[in-house]
Amino acid sequence: MRAHVPPAWAKASILLLFLTFLPVFAGVPDFSLTVLHHGDNGAFAMGDIDGDGRKDIVVARGPQPLQWLSYPSLQSHSIAEGGDIWMEVQAGDVDGDGDCDVLAPEITAKQVFWWENPAKGGDRNAPWVRHPVGSWDDGFPHDFKVGDINGDGKPDAVLRIQGTREFRVFLNGADGVWQTVRLNLAFGNGEGTAVGDLDGDGDLDISDGLVWLETPADPVHGAWIRHDFNTGFGSPQTRVAIADVNKDGRMDIVVSPSDTSLSLKTAWYESSTPKSGPWIEHIVMPAGRAAYVHSLQIGDIDQDGYPDILTGADHRGSKEMLIYYDKDHGRGDLWQEQAWETPHGVWQAVLADVNGDGFPDILSSDDVNQSDQELWLSSGSRASIFRSAGPDVESKSLQDSPPWIFRKGSRRYNLVGKRQSDVSASVIVSPEASPYFK
């Protein structure tokens, strides 16, 4: 008997029906690399330094000068000559005069300073005046965050001192006088700090990813209450972010490992009763996926209305940039991974819309002197399509959760989702050394 062969239109209909039920992820951006400077590590911040309506790049690469790069020319301008500034730098209007100032801890001096923007006077190359914020005694100033802790409308600063259990809160007071509050309330002597309003009372609280500190109405004289929620994470070395991951109007806590050979999970935690708990854990990156993770940033990278998560591994690990896209319409239980190997590794990555197209870009560097300072520009709406099924992508249930989508084995993918046979050849880029960055 002759076998029945369906006509071509029937095959097409069957294929269309199959593809209808195959989960298709919306487009995710491609990224192209520009090297801002060769041979240095460092940290980044973004702010409109020159008041032209476009955000500029602040670069700390101590002991080199603290600088800002005007966008789009990337021409460099000096803020401070030398200084041991390379861990974290922040930008904001410290003195309330309408322009963007710069704040950072200087490691050797064991002091936090802020530099006053002279652009208000019309000369972008005029000297920046340095002002003291506060100091610390022992330990290493690993994390440095800025936000309005006491609700007076002025930016305050929080310093996490690695090697101790201490946070130092610097409150921006009247007439340029800063008050220091010492809090020996961290869970361990590791790293990790984020600020955000976790209890919904209108002020900013502090978290190290394992506990969170409830800010009192009077941060100087009031009692700071510690709430433990994630002390079984596996390491006091964390990176932390606070954001409304599932868009329910409450702040959640995102936690990844940091500076450890342990391949721990990255997860986010939610609670409708944050003071008493419980906190519910949602896995983003399963344990075993990456070691020596160091960065953590939250932002709507693909501009689909839901927050995504950026992390990465430094030169001791896989050197990968790792982005997890929320493909669960804000529920935060299904994540699509986009991964590529960077030239040196991902130690300090910052999400920021550098070119003003509405899509976050990535500023990144590794923590060795042979590293580069990198700008990864998003392609924006010119996006690639990823599917959640196929011979090289696998779904797997973990801890009775919906399936996590992850890459099998040691295969790597380029930014259009095609498997590459050579693991080391991950993404084609066109690095350029900026002639303006001196």
Side-chain angles (χ1 to χ4, degrees):
M1 179 181 294
R2 184 178 179 181
H4 173 69
V5 179
W9 65 265
K11 292 181 180 179
S13 298
I14 294 170
L15 177 61
L16 179 61
L17 180 65
F18 172 75
L19 291 177
T20 300
F21 291 98
L22 179 66
V24 178
F25 292 141
V28 298
D30 298 337
F31 291 86
S32 59
L33 172 62
T34 296
V35 175
L36 299 175
H37 191 265
H38 289 292
D40 278 318
N41 61 355
F44 306 94
M46 291 291 297
D48 183 7
I49 301 296
D50 54 8
D52 65 354
R54 292 180 294 194
K55 288 188 176 181
D56 307 297
I57 306 171
V58 178
V59 182
R61 54 190 186 103
Q64 304 300 323
L66 179 64
Q67 296 179 320
W68 67 275
L69 309 182
S70 53
Y71 195 85
S73 70
L74 297 181
Q75 184 172 358
S76 66
H77 308 270
S78 177
I79 296 174
E81 291 298 326
D84 195 7
I85 304 167
W86 53 273
M87 274 304 301
E88 286 202 87
V89 60
Q90 302 289 345
D93 187 4
V94 175
D95 51 3
D97 65 353
D99 57 27
C100 191
D101 308 302
V102 173
L103 310 89
E106 190 166 335
I107 298 170
T108 304
K110 293 188 177 181
Q111 284 189 281
V112 177
F113 297 102
W114 73 275
W115 287 264
E116 184 178 352
N117 190 337
K120 204 77 173 178
D123 182 4
R124 68 175 61 179
N125 293 311
W128 291 59
V129 178
R130 189 182 74 172
H131 303 273
V133 171
S135 62
W136 69 94
D137 303 316
D138 299 316
F140 185 79
H142 192 278
D143 304 280
F144 181 67
K145 308 300 178 185
V146 169
D148 184 7
I149 299 295
N150 57 2
D152 65 354
K154 293 180 289 188
D156 308 304
V158 178
L159 183 69
R160 174 70 189 276
I161 306 172
Q162 189 181 40
T164 75
R165 296 176 181 267
E166 186 177 343
F167 298 97
R168 291 209 178 185
V169 179
F170 303 106
L171 300 172
N172 186 358
D175 300 323
V177 178
W178 295 70
Q179 288 183 288
T180 300
V181 181
R182 300 178 61 168
L183 304 173
N184 287 294
L185 292 173
F187 180 73
N189 59 356
E191 59 192 61
T193 304
V195 297
D197 185 6
L198 289 169
D199 53 6
D201 64 354
D203 58 30
L204 299 183
D205 307 299
I206 302 171
S207 178
D208 64 1
L210 310 178
V211 305
W212 70 274
L213 310 184
E214 181 183 344
T215 303
D218 181 353
V220 177
H221 303 103
W224 291 70
I225 300 174
R226 190 179 99 170
H227 303 275
D228 296 12
F229 75 96
N230 188 31
T231 54
F233 182 72
S235 173
Q237 308 277 102
T238 66
R239 301 298 273 180
V240 195
I242 295 175
D244 185 3
V245 175
N246 57 357
K247 305 193 75 171
D248 65 352
R250 293 188 293 263
M251 291 292 107
D252 310 302
I253 305 176
V254 186
V255 185
S256 73
S258 181
D259 255 338
T260 174
S261 60
L262 300 175
S263 299
L264 301 176
K265 63 195 171 191
T266 294
W268 69 276
Y269 301 82
E270 65 168 324
S271 178
S272 59
T273 53
K275 295 183 183 181
S276 59
W279 286 78
I280 301 171
E281 178 184 84
H282 304 263
I283 304 291
V284 177
M285 182 180 75
R289 173 62 183 87
Y292 292 108
V293 170
H294 198 273
S295 291
L296 181 66
Q297 296 276 290
I298 311 296
D300 188 0
I301 299 173
D302 56 2
Q303 290 296 286
D304 67 348
Y306 303 105
D308 308 304
I309 296 175
L310 168 72
T311 185
D314 67 23
H315 67 281
R316 298 166 294 179
S318 63
K319 302 182 183 180
E320 288 175 290
M321 192 81 72
L322 296 162
I323 300 176
Y324 291 90
Y325 294 94
D326 182 351
K327 298 305 178 183
D328 204 24
H329 303 292
R331 290 184 291 270
D333 281 328
L334 182 65
W335 300 86
Q336 173 67 31
E337 179 189 274
Q338 182 184 25
W340 70 93
E341 185 177 334
T342 63
H344 300 281
V346 182
W347 174 74
Q348 203 78 290
V350 173
L351 271 180
D353 183 10
V354 175
N355 59 2
D357 67 352
F359 285 80
D361 309 297
I362 305 169
L363 293 158
S364 177
S365 73
D366 198 56
D367 68 338
V368 292
N369 290 333
Q370 292 75 33
S371 173
D372 293 334
Q373 292 185 324
E374 302 165 351
L375 168 59
W376 296 87
L377 282 174
S378 168
S379 68
S381 59
R382 301 185 304 278
S384 304
I385 300 297
F386 279 75
R387 291 190 181 278
S388 66
D392 301 311
V393 183
E394 180 179 55
S395 299
K396 184 176 182 179
S397 294
L398 297 176
Q399 301 174 350
D400 300 321
S401 301
W404 312 112
I405 308 305
F406 67 102
R407 304 305 183 198
K408 292 173 63 176
S410 61
R411 292 168 175 161
R412 298 293 181 267
Y413 289 71
N414 68 14
L415 298 179
V416 293
K418 298 178 181 177
R419 183 172 66 83
Q420 300 178 99
S421 58
D422 184 355
V423 172
S424 65
S426 52
V427 56
I428 299 173
V429 296
S430 301
E432 297 178 9
S434 168
Y436 304 109
F437 199 129
K438 302 175 181 178

